[in-house]
Amino acid sequence: MANKTEIEQGIIACNLIKAVYESIRIHEAINPQFFAIGKIENRMSEYAKSNGIKLATREIYISYKQIAHATRTQKQHVHKAVSIEKLQIFPLERFNMDLYYDSLKKNFVYTNYKEKYIIDPDRELREIIGKPRKVAFVTASIVEDVTNFRMRQYKKI
């Protein structure tokens, strides 16, 4: 369950995701920046700690590019896109979602069984100016087959 600070940070992240989406839609340019959308919650950090999984940061990040990718028109036409509304509320809704660890891809997956939000715990990203930086990074897509979560590679946390 999210505490008051996490909820406040989540609301800010929701608004920021929406603003970035509008900026991409209007300007049709993708800024290489990324930003934090909230802290890694205890169930993920405890699982990582007890299973020797490296978490690059204590926050989860998303980028302008991933927002554009997750919501792009081509994906919408084939019903594989996460809506901006769903992506926007992820920072708050994740606390109510099931969380899995995918042992094959070595990432965490939040899901409501309609959409999935994949957290790469140790992704290298490059800032506009500066050296590459390792972060916990989120990407989003729809769930095509709910039964996949029953596969051996997924461990529910």
Side-chain angles (χ1 to χ4, degrees):
M1 187 67 187
N3 63 37
K4 183 180 176 190
T5 303
E6 290 170 326
I7 291 170
E8 290 168 351
Q9 290 172 341
I11 291 169
I12 292 167
C14 292
N15 292 331
L16 187 53
I17 289 169
K18 181 69 172 177
V20 167
Y21 174 76
E22 291 300 324
S23 173
I24 292 166
R25 198 171 58 75
I26 293 167
H27 301 292
E28 296 182 5
I30 301 173
N31 186 323
Q33 287 293 87
F34 53 94
F35 54 92
I37 61 168
K39 296 200 179 296
I40 288 174
E41 63 175 307
N42 286 339
R43 61 184 167 156
M44 186 185 296
S45 63
E46 290 297 321
Y47 185 86
K49 184 178 179 180
S50 64
N51 290 280
I53 300 164
K54 181 182 179 199
L55 295 174
T57 56
R58 292 288 303 146
E59 282 124 358
I60 296 173
Y61 288 82
I62 194 168
S63 71
Y64 283 49
K65 183 178 179 180
Q66 287 310 119
I67 292 170
H69 179 76
T71 60
R72 72 184 188 273
T73 306
Q74 296 104 325
K75 284 182 100 174
Q76 290 174 6
H77 289 308
V78 293
H79 306 290
K80 292 187 177 186
V82 174
S83 72
I84 186 56
E85 294 79 15
K86 296 289 186 180
L87 187 59
Q88 181 183 352
I89 63 171
F90 169 70
L92 290 170
E93 289 296 313
R94 67 191 172 105
F95 299 104
N96 300 319
M97 292 180 176
D98 285 341
L99 179 62
Y100 289 86
Y101 182 72
D102 180 340
S103 61
L104 289 181
K105 295 181 180 172
K106 309 256 187 267
N107 56 36
F108 292 91
V109 180
Y110 281 102
T111 188
N112 59 8
Y113 303 100
K114 293 175 186 153
E115 297 87 28
K116 61 183 175 181
Y117 302 87
I118 301 151
I119 311 296
D120 181 339
D122 195 31
R123 169 79 70 88
E124 185 173 288
L125 297 176
R126 185 173 296 275
E127 296 181 274
I128 292 176
I129 299 173
K131 298 179 180 180
R133 186 170 146 194
K134 296 266 189 162
V135 299
F137 188 72
V138 65
T139 59
S141 67
I142 65 157
V143 173
E144 293 183 42
D145 186 355
V146 182
T147 62
N148 286 347
F149 290 105
R150 292 189 215 137
M151 295 172 70
R152 181 181 284 168
Q153 75 193 60
Y154 288 103
K155 168 72 175 152
K156 190 172 182 181
I157 300 172

